[in-house]
């Protein structure tokens, strides 16, 4: 994995542990020689991920929509900053520029990015690992809901392992490195569906 897209919030929660976590993720990736592809912002967890990577001599590629770049939230310290027309182009760039995805705590936009990465993996638009950092138990309910969707039958058995999770960044990176791509829907026969 040469580059990973990091999905996270642009908010700054009251509890500083989330900013510290984001910084640690960026720093850890940089120390491992893994570039960061992220939303291009300088605020909240986004800014902390970039700062962690940049302060540890890492590559940071930001991808930000024009509307946000124009409102002075773009991080001009990035190694590269791509300004795109909208959110669809942004998410496509994340997929094109990275070898996998890590989701750390965030809100609605973060969830949108995570589920699209999982959906695209199921379909076969990419075969990269999709990691979820469940620090502080933040995603316990999401992990349980994903298991519930699988138990009910809305997630095919072949796709149960697409979402890889761990409570620790080192553990998550280890699991992502060991990921074996699954059979995508595009390659399945009607009887498999």
């Amino acid at each position: 994995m040469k580059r990973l897209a990091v999905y996270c919030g642009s908010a700054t929660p009251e509890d500083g542990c989330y900013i510290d976590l984001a910084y640690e993720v960026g720093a850890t990736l940089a120390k491992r020689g893994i570039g960061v592809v992220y939303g291009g912002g300088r605020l909240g967890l986004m800014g902390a991920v970039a700062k962690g990577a940049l302060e540890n001599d890492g590559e940071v590629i930001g991808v930000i929509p024009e509307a946000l770049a124009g409102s002075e939230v773009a991080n001009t310290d990035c190694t590269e900053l791509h300004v795109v027309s909208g959110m669809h182009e942004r998410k496509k760039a994340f997929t094109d520029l990275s070898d996998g995805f890590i989701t750390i705590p965030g809100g609605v936009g973060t969830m949108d990015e995570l589920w699209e990465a999982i959906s695209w993996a199921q379909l076969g638009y990419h075969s990269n690992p999709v990691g979820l950092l469940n620090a502080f138990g933040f995603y316990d309910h999401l992990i349980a809901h994903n298991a519930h969707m699988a138990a009910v039958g809305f997630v095919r058995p072949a796709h149960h392992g697409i979402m890889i999770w761990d409570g620790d960044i080192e553990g998550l990176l280890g699991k992502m490195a060991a990921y074996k791509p699954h059979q995508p829907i595009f390659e399945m026969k009607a009887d498999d569906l």
Side-chain angles (χ1 to χ4, degrees):
M1 297 182 294
K2 293 182 181 178
R3 290 183 183 148
L4 290 174
V6 179
Y7 298 144
C8 60
S10 59
T12 303
E14 232 177 271
D15 189 336
C17 71
Y18 295 105
I19 293 293
D20 294 343
L21 172 71
Y23 183 92
E24 177 193 352
V25 167
T28 299
L29 294 176
K31 289 173 185 174
R32 284 178 162 234
I34 300 171
V36 170
V37 179
Y38 86 117
R42 60 179 175 79
L43 305 176
L45 273 70
M46 274 194 206
V49 166
K51 183 176 181 182
L54 290 167
E55 288 184 356
N56 287 278
D57 300 319
E59 175 191 48
V60 176
I61 300 173
V63 184
I64 192 165
E66 290 173 20
L68 291 175
S71 63
E72 300 181 4
V73 298
N75 186 350
T76 56
D77 293 333
C78 292
T79 310
E80 295 177 26
L81 183 63
H82 300 259
V83 178
V84 296
S85 60
M87 295 301 284
H88 294 296
E89 293 77 15
R90 180 193 223 180
K91 290 186 290 184
K92 183 177 182 322
F94 289 151
T95 302
D96 292 344
L97 293 168
S98 65
D99 304 309
F101 312 87
I102 294 180
T103 298
I104 67 174
V108 173
T110 304
M111 290 299 89
D112 175 52
E113 293 163 342
L114 169 66
W115 289 118
E116 183 164 286
I118 292 170
S119 175
W120 285 18
Q122 285 181 161
L123 290 168
Y125 286 114
H126 71 79
S127 59
N128 297 327
V130 180
L132 181 71
L133 184 57
N134 188 32
F136 321 117
F138 186 82
Y139 286 119
D140 285 350
H141 296 290
L142 182 71
I143 292 165
H145 182 67
N146 191 57
H148 176 65
M149 289 190 298
V152 170
F154 286 113
V155 177
R156 291 168 182 84
H159 303 141
H160 286 186
I162 289 175
M163 186 171 77
I164 303 162
W165 62 272
D166 200 287
D168 172 78
I169 185 62
E170 294 290 351
L172 181 60
L173 290 172
K175 289 178 180 179
M176 290 175 70
Y179 173 71
K180 300 283 188 248
H182 56 281
Q183 183 184 23
I185 290 172
F186 291 157
E187 293 178 6
M188 292 180 170
K189 305 279 189 238
D191 292 342
D192 299 324
L193 300 172

